[in-house]
Amino acid sequence: MLKKIIPAIDWIQNYNKHDLKGDMSAGVIVAIMLIPQAMAYAMIAGLPPVIGLYASTIPLFIYAILGSSKHLAVGPVAMVSLLVLSGVSALAEPGSEEYLSYVFLLMFMIGIIQFSMGIFKLGFIVNFLSHAVVSGFTSAAALIIGLSQLKNLLGINLDTGETIFHTLFEAAQRISEINIITFLIGIGSILTLLFFKKKLPRFPAPLVVVLVSTLLVYFLNLKDYGVKIVGEVPIGIPSFSLPAFNIDSIVALLPIALTISFVGFMESIAVAKAIAAKEKYKINSNQELNGLGLANIIGSFFSAYPVTGGFSRSAVNYQAGAKTGLASIITAILIIVTLLFLTPLFYYLPNAVLAAIIMVAVFGLIDIQEAKHLFKVKKMDGLTLLITFIFTLMLGIEEGILIGVAFSLLVFIWRSAYPHIAELGYIEKTKVFRNIKRYPEAKTYKDTLIFRIDASIYFANVGFIEKKFSDEMSKKPNINRIILDFSAVNDIDAVSIDELEKIMDNYTSAGIQFLIIGMKGPIKDLVQKAGWNEKYGQNIKHPSLQHVLQMK
Amino acid sequence: MLKKIIPAIDWIQNYNKHDLKGDMSAGVIVAIMLIPQAMAYAMIAGLPPVIGLYASTIPLFIYAILGSSKHLAVGPVAMVSLLVLSGVSALAEPGSEEYLSYVFLLMFMIGIIQFSMGIFKLGFIVNFLSHAVVSGFTSAAALIIGLSQLKNLLGINLDTGETIFHTLFEAAQRISEINIITFLIGIGSILTLLFFKKKLPRFPAPLVVVLVSTLLVYFLNLKDYGVKIVGEVPIGIPSFSLPAFNIDSIVALLPIALTISFVGFMESIAVAKAIAAKEKYKINSNQELNGLGLANIIGSFFSAYPVTGGFSRSAVNYQAGAKTGLASIITAILIIVTLLFLTPLFYYLPNAVLAAIIMVAVFGLIDIQEAKHLFKVKKMDGLTLLITFIFTLMLGIEEGILIGVAFSLLVFIWRSAYPHIAELGYIEKTKVFRNIKRYPEAKTYKDTLIFRIDASIYFANVGFIEKKFSDEMSKKPNINRIILDFSAVNDIDAVSIDELEKIMDNYTSAGIQFLIIGMKGPIKDLVQKAGWNEKYGQNIKHPSLQHVLQMK
């Protein structure tokens, strides 16, 4: 029981020395990766860099104890950071005191929402998010995030919060204002990062770029040439404080809190499940919501900003040998050490380097292959991806994801409204009945039409099914018997049972026999409740087509 | 080709004497029924009674020529009248000149919308309206319409446009203001109508009630005792005039125009299809939209208000022997004769009698049996009906129908997200594989798990399917082979193909063989595009379980 509430008990009890080496090495590697990322992502969110570091301490401890994944690397991530900016910048000026207090409250709300979803077992809703939607949405968000850093990369002022088209247009207009040294540092960093990503993916290139550029700025005094730097990062660990509760703020933040709760959970569960499948343990999505929720709730008391499990850091954590939550605890300890002693080192770090780190990270998420693949296999799925992508770019992150979900569900409804209905014929050689379109040798009967309905029947497709019968019947005037093969009908609703009843009665009164064969158990149960056994008796009882057509 | 545009050509060319008797008798009977109904429904819509008669002339001619049903009786109906009131009374005072001009414009817009839907072949959308939604919505609308007449029945003033709870509450408060004579006339009419409806359904009771009550009011001078009467109904047929076009009005009327277009079409197509099925001819839903659309467009030039095919009048028309659209033309001619010569007779007709006619007509539409039936067969369908009913009563007609449609589609999605998955065992006696839950004698294998997935697979249920495998696998540690029976999988999307691929690869890398058998043609085509033939080869090629398990 206690293990259900605190999953960490499991690995603490069974901890052995062999795990320690992997956990140590993964903890250190993730920390090296996390330090520049945390500062960079805080910058995306419109926050001082140190808030990113704060968010990489307490929440990591909490998740390591209470989360259900042993490999998930929790902390600041790019997508959530962008959502924080887009949601809170409508209420206060990024960087201001007021902005900060909104962000802490937002984090608390996200924690409460996620924790409540876990308690009420609502983790299943993530199932309704098609991978096509996630992929389109991620690619668009990556573009938005990447281009949001253009101003830091070029060293110019650009309005944030507008569409990317606006950003690109404005950047083009201000091309003459570019700070060349900033731009060279940025481009140099991007090329360096890309080079190591390709050639030596395990090399901690971001940290090296951070160190080299900081030294360059310091010794060449580049600050005087207009290169924007991070500046003073406060020393010390965050102290406890409650978010400023206020009903108006809560109402104003609710939509963005819901979006982040959902998007953050989705990112987290996807990577946690992928690793768990490889390691053959199970992720409970509701436990996962509880763990993330508490990490956010408690984090909000220690000046953090919303966290979730990150794609790339979790993958690095796993590949670097993490075995248990201890790896994350080690990461958190190293970040605390950094906060206590090393923050002065970041004074001369240029913003352009953080922008370069962000751009390289997020542009890697743009997945054109997936779009091509989906278009090849099933056009509608490719279209779902494309529509989500376009609307996210044009209207924004929350709107894009909502439109994507709605569209993907409508596609499913649309498909089930026009089900596959096969007319069957008899194949003498193998003594089976098959679709006459795929097996032209199948023999049809002069007086009998046989249909196999390849679908669950419900109100939206029963009309289509009826139309199919009448279309075929009008082509073949000699038919005096219709047989429906129900072996592929997996479900039926009461409304369609009534409609089928009307259809059967109409044909019967026109002198055409109407048989249904091969009903599955659950369907038999339903039509019995509708009184079909008394009404149709033998006409719906035949187990197979062979059985009916040998009776002749 | 011309026959497609003007379906009437078909019956005009083949007209024979035998049809004439039926058409004549049906035309007369429907006219007798329509005269009081048309005035009563106009009253529901907040219009002078004569507008109801106008709406029973030109539109009937147009539909008879251009509609695809030979039996549909077009004209004013209760539900559309209520929608007109609820939509237009927000913009102008019912009965005023301004109100009238809004109504004519609304009718024109409805015509354009319906006609365009027909041209763009959007008639299919009516399929997405579950009968459970229609039934719940109709019962609620019947209650609302019936109670909207309470004020005429009791002879008191009540605010319109509020919920029925408000109406009932206000009526109870004003119980002392009831005009006793009005009330007696109303109750007497209701009892008379109910009596004949039950005992002599073919007797033209409404007309008789109208005549008797008019004579009573005239001779006993009941007007002086506070009995409200219809008053002067203008003589003569409507003249041609264009609706007052105005962009602001069009924008304001658009939501209600869309609702009426849809609801009117739905009512019309349902009754047209029911009769056509009995008479073995076909209704083209797009042609139907064209016919109704033009009837409304042209009607709007002749001071009519929105029309559609009515349930009860169409049934009477059919039962009275109508064979072709000529029956409707005869009805229209009789209404014109009435307008030219007989309207002075309606001067002393009490409003309470029209209210009684409305109440008896609509309360017959409340269908409690249907609700019980749906609850018995499938609870969710019953719940859909109930939710539509409750929300229509509480929030209004448009809101109720939208909530009903959304709920019914969500129910479908919900069901398909948790599909039936059967674990199969072998039955030696009959040599088939069956669900071990329904056939306890089915033998399972020590090293092999067999699942039959009874569903189309898509993004929202592939996670559930995966969970089912892993749950069962964790219970049975000796399994080294999983076989999926795909014979009931009717469709699959590209996203789930990818997910299945991951699942198969995970199991394969864990040393567990993964086979899929019995794929249908359309599924085979899809997985081939995803490259499965090269990747999995024989593992997905077996045609049947027998085939695999005899290979051992």
Side-chain angles (χ1 to χ4, degrees):
Chain A
M1 191 55 220
L2 196 61
K3 267 194 206 176
K4 268 208 130 172
I5 301 172
I6 307 179
I9 291 177
D10 189 42
W11 59 261
I12 292 172
Q13 280 178 338
N14 303 306
Y15 206 83
N16 71 55
K17 266 193 292 185
H18 304 294
D19 292 345
L20 189 60
K21 200 185 145 212
D23 281 342
M24 281 292 289
S25 125
V28 173
I29 289 175
V30 170
I32 290 173
M33 185 178 176
L34 181 53
I35 292 166
Q37 272 190 356
M39 293 194 291
Y41 292 161
M43 203 165 81
I44 298 179
L47 294 165
V50 73
I51 301 289
L53 294 174
Y54 292 165
S56 311
T57 57
I58 303 289
L60 274 67
F61 285 113
I62 306 294
Y63 184 85
I65 307 293
L66 297 171
S68 69
S69 167
K70 291 185 277 190
H71 300 90
L72 199 67
V74 165
V77 305
M79 186 105 73
V80 168
S81 303
L82 179 68
L83 284 167
V84 168
L85 177 73
S86 84
V88 184
S89 65
L91 303 176
E93 183 64 25
S96 66
E97 274 297 313
E98 201 190 352
Y99 188 85
L100 267 178
S101 80
Y102 275 122
V103 170
F104 300 148
L105 178 61
L106 175 65
M107 185 181 199
F108 179 80
M109 288 169 66
I110 292 166
I112 294 289
I113 292 169
Q114 289 180 330
F115 187 73
S116 317
M117 282 171 70
I119 294 291
F120 293 111
K121 305 213 174 303
L122 298 180
F124 68 88
I125 55 169
V126 81
N127 287 340
F128 290 93
L129 208 61
S130 163
H131 183 72
V133 172
V134 174
S135 177
F137 165 71
T138 306
S139 294
L143 262 183
I144 298 173
I145 295 169
L147 291 177
S148 78
Q149 297 308 311
L150 208 55
K151 59 173 192 263
N152 293 318
L153 192 80
L154 304 178
I156 57 178
N157 284 320
L158 293 175
D159 284 349
T160 50
E162 298 280 343
T163 68
I164 60 159
F165 311 108
H166 183 92
T167 307
L168 284 174
F169 182 72
E170 209 184 317
Q173 277 188 319
R174 299 191 172 197
I175 197 92
S176 59
E177 298 169 24
I178 287 181
N179 180 296
I180 298 292
I181 301 177
T182 303
F183 183 58
L184 289 177
I185 292 173
I187 284 292
S189 304
I190 287 180
L191 294 176
T192 311
L193 290 168
L194 285 177
F195 174 81
F196 283 107
K197 197 175 179 184
K198 199 158 189 182
K199 299 290 175 184
L200 269 175
R202 285 164 162 262
F203 182 77
L207 197 70
V208 171
V209 170
V210 163
L211 289 176
V212 171
S213 65
T214 304
L215 293 174
L216 272 178
V217 172
Y218 177 71
F219 285 110
L220 301 182
N221 217 2
L222 296 179
K223 190 178 169 232
D224 295 350
Y225 297 88
V227 173
K228 291 238 172 73
I229 56 173
V230 165
E232 194 174 316
V233 179
I235 273 196
I237 54 170
S239 57
F240 178 89
S241 66
L242 283 177
F245 297 104
N246 167 324
I247 191 75
D248 289 343
S249 312
I250 290 176
V251 171
L253 290 171
L254 197 58
I256 193 73
L258 285 168
T259 309
I260 296 180
S261 303
F262 189 73
V263 170
F265 169 56
M266 179 196 86
E267 180 161 354
S268 201
I269 194 89
V271 62
K273 272 191 172 173
I275 297 174
K278 283 191 189 142
E279 286 294 304
K280 311 215 181 336
Y281 67 96
K282 286 186 68 172
I283 296 290
N284 177 323
S285 56
N286 297 313
Q287 175 68 45
E288 190 61 21
L289 277 165
N290 288 341
L292 280 178
L294 286 168
N296 276 309
I297 292 173
I298 298 174
S300 75
F301 302 149
F302 292 93
S303 305
Y305 86 102
V307 296
T308 196
F311 260 77
S312 47
R313 277 202 312 278
S314 297
V316 167
N317 194 36
Y318 174 58
Q319 282 158 16
K323 301 287 178 215
T324 72
L326 186 61
S328 282
I329 292 177
I330 291 167
T331 301
I333 291 171
L334 289 173
I335 304 284
I336 289 176
V337 169
T338 306
L339 278 168
L340 288 175
F341 307 108
L342 306 179
T343 52
L345 297 183
F346 300 128
Y347 187 87
Y348 288 101
L349 173 59
N351 285 339
V353 168
L354 294 180
I357 291 172
I358 292 170
M359 285 179 149
V360 171
V362 298
F363 287 151
L365 296 177
I366 298 174
D367 193 348
I368 297 170
Q369 282 310 314
E370 175 70 7
K372 277 190 193 161
H373 166 75
L374 290 182
F375 265 111
K376 185 177 147 208
V377 177
K378 208 155 189 173
K379 281 206 182 60
M380 265 301 171
D381 287 11
L383 195 63
T384 305
L385 188 155
L386 191 65
I387 281 181
T388 311
F389 177 79
I390 290 173
F391 279 100
T392 305
L393 278 192
M394 292 199 323
L395 300 181
I397 298 219
E398 293 156 84
E399 293 80 1
I401 208 164
L402 276 180
I403 290 172
V405 168
F407 184 79
S408 64
L409 290 175
L410 285 178
V411 165
F412 173 69
I413 289 172
W414 185 258
R415 267 186 207 151
S416 27
Y418 297 94
H420 184 248
I421 299 175
E423 190 186 337
L424 304 186
Y426 187 62
I427 300 182
E428 297 219 334
K429 214 169 61 183
T430 51
K431 301 201 167 145
V432 291
F433 291 85
R434 287 281 181 270
N435 185 352
I436 56 172
K437 291 230 173 90
R438 284 185 182 258
Y439 297 83
E441 74 271 27
K443 201 191 79 175
T444 56
Y445 297 81
K446 236 182 293 178
D447 59 346
T448 302
L449 266 178
I450 312 171
F451 297 107
R452 190 189 65 217
I453 300 171
D454 289 345
S456 294
I457 302 178
Y458 77 121
F459 63 87
N461 63 18
V462 68
F464 174 81
I465 293 170
E466 178 184 7
K467 189 165 178 305
K468 175 83 181 178
F469 298 161
S470 66
D471 286 355
E472 292 298 320
M473 287 295 287
S474 64
K475 286 186 214 151
K476 291 167 190 164
N478 294 322
I479 299 297
N480 59 31
R481 179 162 64 169
I482 297 177
I483 306 180
L484 291 194
D485 179 350
F486 254 44
S487 60
V489 175
N490 296 313
D491 196 6
I492 188 164
D493 65 0
V495 169
S496 319
I497 291 178
D498 292 349
E499 288 298 319
L500 271 181
E501 211 169 308
K502 275 188 220 151
I503 297 170
M504 286 165 78
D505 293 350
N506 280 339
Y507 279 115
T508 308
S509 70
I512 293 163
Q513 200 187 6
F514 203 100
L515 305 180
I516 296 180
I517 66 101
M519 278 190 212
K520 288 184 182 174
I523 310 286
K524 277 185 196 159
D525 296 347
L526 283 171
V527 300
Q528 189 181 349
K529 281 194 216 156
W532 279 25
N533 287 3
E534 295 72 38
K535 193 164 175 191
Y536 299 111
Q538 203 52 40
N539 282 359
I540 58 165
K541 290 269 173 65
H542 302 283
S544 71
L545 287 167
Q546 285 81 353
H547 191 255
V548 177
L549 292 157
Q550 278 160 13
M551 284 170 57
K552 275 181 114 173
Chain B
M1 191 55 221
L2 195 62
K3 267 193 206 176
K4 268 209 129 173
I5 301 171
I6 307 177
I9 291 177
D10 189 44
W11 61 259
I12 293 171
Q13 281 177 338
N14 303 305
Y15 205 84
N16 70 53
K17 266 194 293 187
H18 304 294
D19 293 343
L20 189 61
K21 201 184 143 214
D23 282 341
M24 280 294 288
S25 127
V28 173
I29 288 175
V30 170
I32 291 173
M33 186 177 176
L34 181 53
I35 292 167
Q37 273 189 355
M39 293 195 290
Y41 293 161
M43 203 164 80
I44 297 180
L47 294 164
V50 74
I51 301 290
L53 294 173
Y54 291 166
S56 311
T57 56
I58 303 290
L60 274 66
F61 286 113
I62 306 294
Y63 184 86
I65 308 292
L66 297 171
S68 68
S69 167
K70 291 185 277 190
H71 299 90
L72 198 67
V74 164
V77 304
M79 186 106 70
V80 168
S81 302
L82 179 67
L83 283 167
V84 168
L85 177 72
S86 85
V88 184
S89 64
L91 304 176
E93 183 65 25
S96 65
E97 273 298 313
E98 202 191 352
Y99 187 87
L100 267 178
S101 80
Y102 275 122
V103 170
F104 300 149
L105 178 60
L106 175 66
M107 186 181 197
F108 179 79
M109 289 169 66
I110 292 166
I112 294 289
I113 292 169
Q114 289 180 331
F115 188 73
S116 317
M117 282 172 69
I119 295 291
F120 293 112
K121 306 216 176 300
L122 298 180
F124 69 87
I125 55 168
V126 81
N127 287 340
F128 291 93
L129 208 61
S130 164
H131 183 71
V133 173
V134 174
S135 177
F137 164 72
T138 306
S139 293
L143 262 183
I144 298 173
I145 295 169
L147 291 178
S148 77
Q149 297 308 310
L150 207 55
K151 59 172 194 261
N152 293 318
L153 193 79
L154 304 178
I156 56 179
N157 284 320
L158 293 175
D159 285 350
T160 50
E162 299 280 343
T163 67
I164 59 159
F165 311 107
H166 182 93
T167 307
L168 285 174
F169 182 73
E170 208 182 318
Q173 278 188 319
R174 298 189 171 201
I175 197 92
S176 59
E177 300 169 23
I178 289 180
N179 181 297
I180 298 293
I181 300 176
T182 304
F183 182 59
L184 288 178
I185 293 173
I187 285 291
S189 305
I190 288 180
L191 294 176
T192 310
L193 290 168
L194 285 177
F195 174 81
F196 282 107
K197 197 175 180 184
K198 199 155 189 187
K199 300 290 176 183
L200 270 176
R202 284 166 162 261
F203 182 77
L207 197 71
V208 170
V209 170
V210 163
L211 290 176
V212 171
S213 64
T214 304
L215 293 174
L216 271 179
V217 172
Y218 178 72
F219 284 112
L220 301 181
N221 218 4
L222 295 180
K223 189 175 170 239
D224 294 350
Y225 296 88
V227 173
K228 294 238 171 73
I229 56 173
V230 165
E232 194 173 316
V233 179
I235 275 196
I237 53 169
S239 57
F240 178 90
S241 67
L242 281 177
F245 298 104
N246 168 325
I247 190 76
D248 289 342
S249 312
I250 290 175
V251 171
L253 289 171
L254 197 58
I256 194 72
L258 285 168
T259 309
I260 296 180
S261 302
F262 190 74
V263 170
F265 170 56
M266 179 196 87
E267 179 161 354
S268 202
I269 194 89
V271 63
K273 272 191 173 172
I275 297 174
K278 286 192 188 141
E279 287 293 304
K280 311 217 179 333
Y281 67 96
K282 287 187 63 172
I283 296 291
N284 177 323
S285 56
N286 297 313
Q287 175 67 46
E288 190 61 24
L289 276 164
N290 289 341
L292 280 179
L294 286 169
N296 276 310
I297 292 173
I298 299 174
S300 75
F301 302 150
F302 293 93
S303 306
Y305 85 103
V307 296
T308 195
F311 265 126
S312 48
R313 277 202 310 280
S314 298
V316 167
N317 193 37
Y318 174 58
Q319 281 157 15
K323 300 287 178 216
T324 72
L326 185 62
S328 282
I329 293 177
I330 292 167
T331 301
I333 291 171
L334 289 174
I335 303 284
I336 289 174
V337 169
T338 306
L339 278 167
L340 289 175
F341 307 108
L342 305 181
T343 52
L345 298 184
F346 300 127
Y347 186 87
Y348 288 101
L349 173 60
N351 286 339
V353 168
L354 293 180
I357 291 172
I358 292 169
M359 285 179 150
V360 170
V362 297
F363 287 151
L365 296 177
I366 298 175
D367 193 349
I368 296 170
Q369 282 310 313
E370 176 71 7
K372 278 190 194 162
H373 167 74
L374 291 181
F375 264 111
K376 185 177 147 207
V377 178
K378 209 157 189 172
K379 282 207 182 56
M380 266 301 171
D381 287 12
L383 195 62
T384 304
L385 187 155
L386 192 63
I387 281 181
T388 312
F389 177 79
I390 290 173
F391 279 99
T392 305
L393 279 193
M394 292 199 324
L395 300 181
I397 297 220
E398 292 156 86
E399 293 79 2
I401 208 163
L402 278 179
I403 289 173
V405 169
F407 184 79
S408 64
L409 290 174
L410 284 179
V411 165
F412 173 67
I413 290 171
W414 184 258
R415 268 186 206 151
S416 27
Y418 298 93
H420 184 249
I421 299 175
E423 189 187 337
L424 303 186
Y426 186 62
I427 300 183
E428 298 219 332
K429 214 167 63 181
T430 51
K431 300 198 169 154
V432 292
F433 291 85
R434 286 282 181 272
N435 185 350
I436 57 171
K437 291 233 173 87
R438 282 185 183 260
Y439 297 83
E441 72 272 27
K443 200 191 77 174
T444 57
Y445 296 81
K446 238 183 293 179
D447 59 346
T448 302
L449 265 178
I450 312 171
F451 296 106
R452 190 188 66 216
I453 300 171
D454 288 347
S456 294
I457 302 178
Y458 78 120
F459 64 87
N461 63 18
V462 68
F464 174 81
I465 292 170
E466 179 184 7
K467 189 164 178 307
K468 175 84 179 176
F469 297 163
S470 65
D471 285 355
E472 293 297 321
M473 288 294 287
S474 63
K475 285 187 214 151
K476 291 168 189 161
N478 294 322
I479 299 297
N480 60 30
R481 181 162 63 170
I482 297 176
I483 306 180
L484 291 194
D485 179 351
F486 254 44
S487 59
V489 175
N490 295 314
D491 196 5
I492 189 165
D493 65 1
V495 169
S496 322
I497 290 177
D498 293 349
E499 288 297 318
L500 270 180
E501 213 169 308
K502 276 189 219 151
I503 296 170
M504 287 166 77
D505 293 350
N506 280 339
Y507 279 114
T508 308
S509 70
I512 292 163
Q513 200 187 7
F514 203 101
L515 305 179
I516 297 179
I517 66 102
M519 277 190 213
K520 288 184 182 174
I523 310 286
K524 278 186 194 158
D525 296 348
L526 283 171
V527 301
Q528 188 180 348
K529 282 193 214 156
W532 278 24
N533 287 3
E534 297 73 35
K535 194 165 174 189
Y536 300 111
Q538 203 52 39
N539 281 359
I540 58 163
K541 291 270 173 63
H542 301 284
S544 71
L545 286 168
Q546 285 81 352
H547 190 255
V548 177
L549 292 158
Q550 279 161 13
M551 285 170 56
K552 277 182 113 172

